[in-house]
Amino acid sequence: MVGQKFRRIMDPVSENPSSFQPKCPALSWGVKIKRKLKSAAPFLGRFRPLVGQCCHQCTPESLGLKLLRNTPPLGFQNLTSVNETHTGYRGWLVRRVCCLLFVWGCEVHPSPAGDRRHRVHGSERVRQALVAACSPDETKMMELVMPEVRDHLGRLLALTQTFISPYLLRLVSWMLLKVFSLMFCSVQVNRNQLAALHRATQLKSPLVYVCVRQSGIDHALICLTLFCHNLSVPYTIYPAHVRQSWLRSILQRLGVVLLPEGSESERDAEMDSLYSPVMTSFTGELLREGASLSVGICGSRGHGGQWLARVHQAISDGLVPDVSIVPVGISYDCLPRFFTRPQAGVMSALRFAVSLLKGGHRGSVRIHFAQAFSLKEMCQSGKCRVDGGRPLQDLLLTAILQDRMDSIFSQKDVSWLLPPAVMPELSPADRQQTIALTLHLMYSSTTTMAVMSTSLVSCLLLHKHRKGVRVSVLCRDICWLLEEVLFRNIDVGYGGSLVGLVLHALSLLRPYLLLAAAPPTGEPIIAPRPDPDSLLILSQHCDLLTHVFIHEAVGACAVSAMLSEVVGCGGGGDPEFDVVLGQEELTEKSLQLTHLLSPGFVPPCQTAHGFALDVVDSMVRCGVLVMEEVQKDTPVCDFMKKQGVLSWAVSDNPDQSSDSDCEEPDARSYKLSQPSQCPELLFFLCSLLSVRLRALCWALESLHYLPSPITERDCLSQLHTHLKNRAQLDKAHYGRRQKHAFHFPLTTMKRKDFHFEFTSSVLTEICFKQRTSILIDPITSGQHRQ
């Protein structure tokens, strides 16, 4: 069977109750749960979801190459599981040094620096930057400034001496295999996707791997995977400030491009007038040599997009005919907190090393490589574009004025992803193209990621069972949520028995959970800890599921907002929610919510209005809404005249024309479905976006108290402080679920029970305040910990 071909990637988790709660022997996991032993199959039917296909709108020709194939299924491979079968030798001595023999037998594609520094220094772009920096108006002034510019240019050109040493690469790869085997129980890669990468290398185009930055080991995992499968190890763009000269020397010999000496951050380096021309010429020279690149994009602010602009600039300059882009999705069961801290000291590193030696519960990693697509094709297709965007206040002005305007159907301006201060030499068209490419790759990399077991458990505990849940109920909901994820063609990063899955996830999330025994049976009850750190960690785990259910989450918030308006207008209703929702109003409300989403949720090749229409359709598919036929008491033409629009149907026979040809477009209405799980499902979907939207509302309220002018760093710091204070004052929002509210008439509900609604006060703040485009991501992301 196909299911037997897939390796069980989850290590057996001990069912000893003392491993979870030593003081409570009543928590017998095996006795209480094993009565119904179910399997959590990571696929529906006979095949796994085929993830990673390139966009059919932007790159139809690349999709037609069919580089990524799901048949025959090759299964998965654990990188850290190296034995004698991976070498060409057998014997007891080989079994003890098999890892070293495997690394020594891997193929390495050397990439020496050569005269790359002289080529970069002599490029036309660098020479023009030198002329602009030296102020050649006066010869004496030029002679004074030239030594300082020459020294600074020398430090920048030292970065171009980065190369890949074969011997050092083998040594570091062997060390990484040992460290990752201690850090993770498995590092799984899809063999079908690696076979697609081998086919992509035959196209003779340089490969550029793009991932969403999550930790400091993302690029190490990508390079190690490619090295172990005899693929060219890419040059890694890692914008980190490394002070130790010996460490910088080692990393540069491994192909890691660091920040120049003296630059504390990536933004500081980009502000240098010479840094951008040198790096653009350096990128072009690497691609012309046939080298691959690995670039990381910050999911919250879009940092890293300037490197995509440099890759596109190499194609425009004619250095390479084309470049193949490969989105990479990396999913962690539970990432060690040492790698999520921006600055970790020596003591933190020592504690992390001791924890590795002690062993204990370890998570797994799943790496997905999407199908390679042509960058030139995407740019020339004209589908991936963000030009013509309008500010957020203009888009949402119709909600304040209660006026129907076409501005709401426009696209949102996201020019802040690549501000003019970064790479000022870019033309407006190239800048817009780079922003569109960055958004598309953020979306592609996120949709390529696999959903891990800790993500499912965290999502259910945060958004469905905040007050606690029995283990048996949690297992039932995991089966339901697993099927919903697979139905949306999203892969999962686990497999095995349902009991082992739940125990594995709970063992990894144990520091952030509360465990208790429910009398009289003693069945375990799990609840999230109420402290901010635990809630933040759990929310980071379930961020990916927000992307998976984004259509349903937006639709549920739109339905909640419309029901709130019914309450506010004094409308009544019975406990069955017999309220008719118009498709036009529901689409418009969904469109308003779509404009508030952070980048990465909607691809740039899809309009916001098209996304809103998909939202309404998804609400019908998931069973929250059902279509309702509305009886019309007035003639069709009279109804259309009242709306101020006439729509004439086209008849096949031109002689048979009459007044009946005036018809109304297909206007639909929807009602809430009546299944017993509909209120619970509506609350769950609303909760996926409630934290982000509520944080946005609170941030907008605090704009009154910010001084002007203010730097972005101070602005984020003060906004973060305000959000912490506001969250402490509004603890009821985190503790109140009130599922029983649906058992009462709609008029008895308080407006606060709904997770979000569009109010004129909030939208007025959006319209008349600036910097709203950077509020959602930095505040609600995990980068600024509470």
Side-chain angles (χ1 to χ4, degrees), residues 337-614:
R337 300 183 66 179
F338 173 78
F339 294 100
T340 59
R341 298 173 182 175
Q343 293 181 353
V346 178
M347 296 303 300
S348 299
L350 292 178
R351 285 192 293 266
F352 174 69
V354 172
S355 64
L356 289 181
L357 297 177
K358 288 183 178 179
H361 299 291
R362 299 171 299 164
S364 60
V365 183
R366 174 68 66 84
I367 306 175
H368 281 175
F369 293 90
Q371 178 179 345
F373 63 87
S374 171
L375 176 60
K376 187 176 181 180
E377 180 189 1
M378 171 169 282
C379 296
Q380 292 180 353
S381 63
K383 299 292 184 180
C384 183
R385 50 189 301 178
V386 293
D387 54 336
R390 307 184 63 174
L392 186 61
Q393 55 265 29
D394 294 346
L395 297 177
L396 300 179
L397 191 61
T398 56
I400 301 176
L401 302 179
Q402 298 295 329
D403 188 14
R404 299 300 308 279
M405 298 194 312
D406 295 335
S407 61
I408 193 175
F409 299 102
S410 303
Q411 296 296 103
K412 182 175 62 175
D413 181 26
V414 288
S415 58
W416 54 271
L417 286 173
L418 191 63
V422 178
M423 297 187 67
E425 67 273 10
L426 279 180
S427 63
D430 291 341
R431 188 174 300 274
Q432 295 295 331
Q433 185 66 61
T434 302
I435 294 174
L437 180 61
T438 303
L439 289 174
H440 206 299
L441 288 175
M442 290 171 59
Y443 174 81
S444 300
S445 299
T446 305
T447 54
T448 306
M449 295 180 183
V451 177
M452 310 302 286
S453 59
T454 52
S455 300
L456 293 180
V457 174
S458 300
C459 183
L460 291 173
L461 292 178
L462 276 184
H463 302 296
K464 195 173 183 180
H465 305 292
R466 178 61 68 89
K467 290 186 176 181
V469 60
R470 297 176 181 267
V471 174
S472 58
V473 178
L474 182 63
C475 293
R476 180 199 64 190
D477 290 342
I478 285 179
C479 291
W480 161 76
L481 193 57
L482 171 62
E483 294 180 356
E484 293 294 332
V485 170
L486 294 174
F487 179 74
R488 287 157 177 81
N489 201 31
I490 302 296
D491 200 3
V492 293
Y494 53 84
S497 65
L498 182 60
V499 177
L501 167 67
V502 175
L503 293 178
H504 176 71
L506 293 179
S507 63
L508 295 176
L509 300 176
R510 178 188 173 188
Y512 320 112
L513 302 178
L514 295 174
L515 302 179
T521 60
E523 182 179 2
I525 295 180
I526 301 102
R529 291 184 180 272
D531 59 283
D533 290 340
S534 299
L535 294 177
L536 182 61
I537 295 297
L538 294 177
S539 64
Q540 291 176 357
H541 282 294
C542 63
D543 277 344
L544 183 58
L545 284 172
T546 305
H547 286 265
V548 175
F549 295 96
I550 187 59
H551 290 89
E552 293 79 3
V554 172
C557 291
V559 171
S560 175
M562 296 183 68
L563 294 178
S564 299
E565 293 178 355
V566 174
V567 176
C569 296
D574 55 13
E576 300 297 331
F577 287 101
D578 192 9
V579 179
V580 178
L581 307 176
Q583 182 187 22
E584 189 174 3
E585 291 79 6
L586 187 60
T587 303
E588 184 176 350
K589 197 69 67 175
S590 302
L591 185 58
Q592 295 172 352
L593 269 170
T594 303
H595 290 316
L596 293 178
L597 293 178
S598 56
F601 284 99
V602 184
C605 56
Q606 184 181 19
T607 62
H609 184 251
F611 182 85
L613 293 176
D614 293 342

Side-chain angles (χ1 to χ4, degrees), residues 196-447:
L197 283 181
H198 280 282
R199 287 188 286 267
T201 55
Q202 300 176 3
L203 300 177
K204 305 301 181 181
S205 297
L207 297 180
V208 177
Y209 302 91
V210 182
C211 66
V212 177
R213 299 176 187 172
Q214 301 180 67
S215 68
I217 61 175
D218 295 338
H219 295 290
L221 288 170
I222 295 175
C223 294
L224 181 63
T225 302
L226 299 176
F227 170 79
C228 293
H229 291 84
N230 298 323
L231 289 166
S232 177
V233 176
Y235 283 81
T236 301
I237 309 299
Y238 188 65
H241 179 63
V242 179
R243 296 182 177 88
Q244 295 80 3
S245 59
W246 62 270
L247 183 57
R248 291 183 65 94
S249 178
I250 293 177
L251 292 177
Q252 285 186 345
R253 283 170 171 77
L254 294 174
V256 181
V257 181
L258 301 170
L259 290 177
E261 297 181 3
S263 298
E264 296 293 336
S265 63
E266 186 178 12
R267 172 165 295 185
D268 295 340
E270 293 292 345
M271 293 299 103
D272 187 3
S273 59
L274 292 179
Y275 177 79
S276 181
V278 171
M279 290 297 103
T280 303
S281 301
F282 176 48
T283 304
E285 292 296 333
L286 288 178
L287 296 176
R288 189 170 66 172
E289 295 173 4
S292 302
L293 295 179
S294 179
V295 181
I297 300 177
C298 183
S300 60
R301 300 186 184 181
H303 290 177
Q306 67 272 16
W307 292 99
L308 300 176
R310 295 180 177 117
V311 172
H312 181 256
Q313 195 67 33
I315 300 178
S316 302
D317 295 343
L319 298 178
V320 288
D322 197 3
V323 172
S324 297
I325 304 294
V326 182
V328 183
I330 305 177
S331 303
Y332 299 93
D333 250 340
C334 188
L335 186 67
R337 300 183 66 179
F338 173 78
F339 294 100
T340 59
R341 298 173 182 175
Q343 293 181 353
V346 178
M347 296 303 300
S348 299
L350 292 178
R351 285 192 293 266
F352 174 69
V354 172
S355 64
L356 289 181
L357 297 177
K358 288 183 178 179
H361 299 291
R362 299 171 299 164
S364 60
V365 183
R366 174 68 66 84
I367 306 175
H368 281 175
F369 293 90
Q371 178 179 345
F373 63 87
S374 171
L375 176 60
K376 187 176 181 180
E377 180 189 1
M378 171 169 282
C379 296
Q380 292 180 353
S381 63
K383 299 292 184 180
C384 183
R385 50 189 301 178
V386 293
D387 54 336
R390 307 184 63 174
L392 186 61
Q393 55 265 29
D394 294 346
L395 297 177
L396 300 179
L397 191 61
T398 56
I400 301 176
L401 302 179
Q402 298 295 329
D403 188 14
R404 299 300 308 279
M405 298 194 312
D406 295 335
S407 61
I408 193 175
F409 299 102
S410 303
Q411 296 296 103
K412 182 175 62 175
D413 181 26
V414 288
S415 58
W416 54 271
L417 286 173
L418 191 63
V422 178
M423 297 187 67
E425 67 273 10
L426 279 180
S427 63
D430 291 341
R431 188 174 300 274
Q432 295 295 331
Q433 185 66 61
T434 302
I435 294 174
L437 180 61
T438 303
L439 289 174
H440 206 299
L441 288 175
M442 290 171 59
Y443 174 81
S444 300
S445 299
T446 305
T447 54

